[in-house]
Amino acid sequence: MNWFDRLLGEPLATLPGLVEPGRFCRAGKTDATFNGHTLLRQDILVPDGSDRCQLDDELHGFVPSNASLSPQAELFASALESLDAERSRGATLMSPLMPAEVINGQSHLLRFEDLLLEVIKKGHLHQISLRPRLDLHYEDEVTDVARAKRMAKSALVHLASHSEYWQRQTLSGVIPRKVLARFSVDDYNTYENRVYARLLDSIERHLWRRIATLEQLQGTLSKALEFYGADGVDHRLANAICALWGQTFSSQEMTSEASHLLSETLGQLKVASKAIAGLKQNGLYPLVPRSAQVSGGLHLTNILSHDAHYRHVTVLWEELRKVQGRAGKPPHECHQQNRHLASAYSRYAGLMLHHALAPYLNGRDEAQWAGRTLSLRSSGLEWELVSAITGEDAKVVLTVVPWFSFTERPDDTPGQPVRIIAWPALDQVNNEAALEAGWIALSPFDLYGVERFGHLVDSILWQSLLQAYGTPITKVPGTVMRGAGEHVSAISLEPELAQMVVREVLPEKHLAQLQQSLHAANAIQQAETLGLRHQELVALQACPVCGSPVRLVLQQPAGFKANCDSCATERYLRHQARHWVYEQKLNAEVDFRKVGRRATHIQGPRRP
């Protein structure tokens, strides 16, 4: 097998005709040359700026990205690089939301845009449109005498040899009916006017991208401002999101100032865009053929250098070329950049997971929780959450696959319970639910990002505790069973089956005595299981929202009810015919948009 499908988690012998960028990794022992410039070893397959994908002699193609999302994709990449650079400088657990430096950098007009607004204000482009420089072309044409204003040089010779154009002949000469006349034609397709027309095209494309980028940022800032005292959103969710946003902008006033500056810049660019659209509809622009292009460098003619209006075209052309030149890279550099962005996106996913796992790992890579050793580790570009119980093999309970791509979500990737695909989802973020059929949004634009991943890890980790709740400890020696009978409220004994069920947290003294009795009766495995059940109950009896201690009230046959008096969180574990269901509500609310990860619904198969 030469390839590995990251989305399906399966090896692949050959690639399809159209390849999704970032989906496949080289897995074979042999190398392959990509598009004739890069040697692929154990590398991810990403484009080099084109849709062509040639691997040695095999020709494939890349699925094209959504062109309408191009400005947002560039902004996304800029934010990703900024966050990755901050992380590489040794920053602590920083906010995964849009960095302030990206917002501030985009909020100011570029030098080209300042010049463009000044030129538009002074009317130089409008003067060119209304009174362009043009050439006169002369054409000779046979026409009626009444229409002729100027005779061609060879008009008499032509008339002498074409008697059919005579009206009549007199003694003094010929009276013509038609003559060869010279007409002048205005030629707008001059070099200077072609530069002007193509400049308008380039300006329009630039302004479209900039406006789309700023509108994306404006939307992000607007959503952030909504959380300052938002109605209908639980204050804990609002505080959590505002705390993350506060690492980007320290106060609501700073966010408002940034939003105001962004709106002002956006308004100026829209004014410029409207002016350019008007220039393209009237005057000179429609008179220059769209096929008339300007190739190579700009040739400075006398008109472009010295004319009072045309010389501003030259200045704008050169400044815009500088702006556009930053994006132009050779194919091998573009391919390297895309590989770097895929790696940066993977590290960004790790940052988001560290935030989501803060209640369990407290910012570390490994910690103890509920009798388990939880650890977060990277495996290539993927991230794995591992749970290890003493005496058992470590188990990967969650694999997050960061997929850095702006193509449509493929249909051939069925959701898997422990393999989740994280992708930018620029125009597909859905706040109705945290997860959607095995896909999870991962973006610095998404204010719910940490809540989304928190809801995911909560569901995964709590499932094992809920599944184990009420599981009996079997093969308990009779001597231990008789000694444990005094703790009836916390332990349910079944002497005929030699098993007991721990339903509440035991006092430390009683727990130690019971474990000591099990060790004395050579029931070491049962003692370890008792310790594990006890630590699971400790975790269950702590409110997952506020951390306050909560008593588990038994609900027959094997469920419980736990209501927190501090934060009004309600939890229920119910057993049905073939499965169990766990519900968690905050103030009777289950809407993800209003409470985030603080409400959940989990179900699993009932124990045999």
Side-chain angles (χ1 to χ4, degrees), residues 433-456:
L435 196 66
E436 185 180 353
W439 294 79
I440 188 168
L442 174 63
S443 166
F445 301 148
D446 182 18
L447 297 177
Y448 280 83
V450 173
E451 296 297 316
R452 219 175 283 281
F453 278 80
H455 190 280
L456 172 63

Side-chain angles (χ1 to χ4, degrees), residues 360-374:
Y360 308 96
L361 302 182
N362 195 25
R364 301 189 298 272
D365 293 331
E366 184 175 296
Q368 300 292 322
W369 177 78
R372 295 153 171 79
T373 300
L374 300 180

Side-chain angles (χ1 to χ4, degrees), residues 63-225:
V63 176
S65 300
N66 190 338
S68 64
L69 297 179
S70 180
Q72 292 95 318
E74 291 179 6
L75 179 62
F76 191 103
S78 177
L80 197 60
E81 290 179 324
S82 178
L83 288 167
D84 198 53
E86 186 176 352
R87 184 202 60 82
S88 64
R89 290 192 292 267
T92 55
L93 197 60
M94 58 193 183
S95 171
L97 299 180
M98 179 64 66
E101 61 185 49
V102 173
I103 297 176
N104 292 333
Q106 293 284 345
S107 298
H108 294 85
L109 290 172
L110 303 177
R111 171 175 167 77
F112 162 74
E113 294 160 355
D114 275 325
L115 289 172
L116 174 63
L117 289 169
E118 185 68 20
V119 169
I120 291 175
K121 181 180 178 181
K122 293 183 176 179
H124 295 296
L125 295 179
H126 290 80
Q127 286 296 321
I128 294 174
S129 179
L130 295 174
R131 300 176 182 84
R133 292 291 192 99
L134 49 85
D135 286 341
L136 289 178
H137 286 180
Y138 295 96
E139 296 180 358
D140 295 343
E141 179 183 346
V142 176
T143 186
D144 292 337
V145 171
R147 290 187 63 240
K149 293 183 179 180
R150 184 177 181 182
M151 304 288 287
K153 292 181 179 180
S154 58
L156 295 178
V157 175
H158 181 271
L159 184 62
S161 59
H162 291 81
S163 58
E164 67 271 20
Y165 295 149
W166 299 357
Q167 183 171 348
R168 67 178 182 272
Q169 187 176 9
T170 65
L171 293 175
S172 60
V174 173
I175 297 177
R177 180 170 56 86
K178 292 185 177 182
V179 294
L180 183 64
R182 170 159 290 191
F183 294 94
S184 62
V185 178
D186 293 338
D187 181 13
Y188 293 91
N189 189 19
T190 64
Y191 178 75
E192 293 82 6
N193 291 340
R194 289 199 298 272
V195 172
Y196 165 84
R198 300 295 76 84
L199 174 66
L200 293 188
D201 290 339
S202 298
I203 291 175
E204 184 180 54
R205 289 192 295 269
H206 170 82
L207 291 177
W208 172 77
R209 300 177 77 89
R210 278 281 283 158
I211 290 172
T213 298
L214 295 186
E215 286 178 341
Q216 176 72 50
L217 282 177
Q218 184 68 31
T220 302
L221 287 174
S222 298
K223 291 176 182 177
L225 287 170

Side-chain angles (χ1 to χ4, degrees), residues 4 12 14-15 74 113 147 170 185-186 201 243 258 277 301 353 368 403 427 435 460 464 510:
F4 180 77
L12 196 68
T14 57
L15 292 174
E74 291 179 6
E113 294 160 355
R147 290 187 63 240
T170 65
V185 178
D186 293 338
D201 290 339
T301 64
L353 281 167
Q368 300 292 322
W403 182 43
D427 61 342
L435 196 66
I460 294 292
S464 61
H510 294 162

Side-chain angles (χ1 to χ4, degrees), residues 159-394:
L159 184 62
S161 59
H162 291 81
S163 58
E164 67 271 20
Y165 295 149
W166 299 357
Q167 183 171 348
R168 67 178 182 272
Q169 187 176 9
T170 65
L171 293 175
S172 60
V174 173
I175 297 177
R177 180 170 56 86
K178 292 185 177 182
V179 294
L180 183 64
R182 170 159 290 191
F183 294 94
S184 62
V185 178
D186 293 338
D187 181 13
Y188 293 91
N189 189 19
T190 64
Y191 178 75
E192 293 82 6
N193 291 340
R194 289 199 298 272
V195 172
Y196 165 84
R198 300 295 76 84
L199 174 66
L200 293 188
D201 290 339
S202 298
I203 291 175
E204 184 180 54
R205 289 192 295 269
H206 170 82
L207 291 177
W208 172 77
R209 300 177 77 89
R210 278 281 283 158
I211 290 172
T213 298
L214 295 186
E215 286 178 341
Q216 176 72 50
L217 282 177
Q218 184 68 31
T220 302
L221 287 174
S222 298
K223 291 176 182 177
L225 287 170
E226 289 175 4
F227 275 91
Y228 289 101
D231 293 332
V233 176
D234 185 82
H235 69 91
R236 297 172 187 82
L237 172 62
N239 290 341
I241 291 179
C242 290
L244 289 174
W245 186 257
Q247 297 179 43
T248 298
F249 289 99
S250 59
S251 65
Q252 181 179 0
E253 289 73 21
M254 289 186 63
T255 305
S256 298
E257 289 176 7
S259 180
H260 176 74
L261 177 60
L262 198 60
S263 298
E264 185 177 322
T265 301
L266 189 58
Q268 290 177 295
L269 293 180
K270 287 183 176 180
V271 168
S273 179
K274 185 177 180 180
I276 296 300
L279 289 170
K280 293 187 68 173
Q281 292 174 3
N282 302 292
L284 173 61
Y285 182 86
L287 302 176
V288 180
R290 293 191 64 84
S291 59
Q293 299 295 317
V294 179
S295 59
L298 190 64
H299 176 58
L300 295 179
T301 64
N302 285 335
I303 293 176
L304 289 176
S305 299
H306 304 296
D307 184 270
H309 305 299
Y310 277 88
R311 63 189 180 88
H312 295 282
V313 171
T314 304
V315 175
L316 291 175
W317 182 283
E318 292 298 331
E319 285 298 325
L320 183 57
R321 186 179 62 84
K322 293 177 183 178
V323 175
Q324 295 172 336
R326 298 169 189 166
K329 291 183 179 180
H332 69 279
E333 290 187 15
C334 186
H335 180 257
Q336 185 66 30
Q337 174 70 6
N338 286 334
R339 286 172 57 185
H340 168 73
L341 287 173
S343 298
Y345 193 58
S346 173
R347 292 187 286 271
Y348 177 67
L351 172 65
M352 190 70 78
L353 281 167
H354 274 100
H355 275 283
L357 287 164
Y360 308 96
L361 302 182
N362 195 25
R364 301 189 298 272
D365 293 331
E366 184 175 296
Q368 300 292 322
W369 177 78
R372 295 153 171 79
T373 300
L374 300 180
S375 58
L376 180 65
R377 68 189 186 190
S378 61
S379 176
L381 295 177
E382 284 73 51
W383 287 87
E384 296 176 343
L385 179 59
V386 182
S387 176
I389 299 175
T390 303
E392 299 181 13
D393 293 335

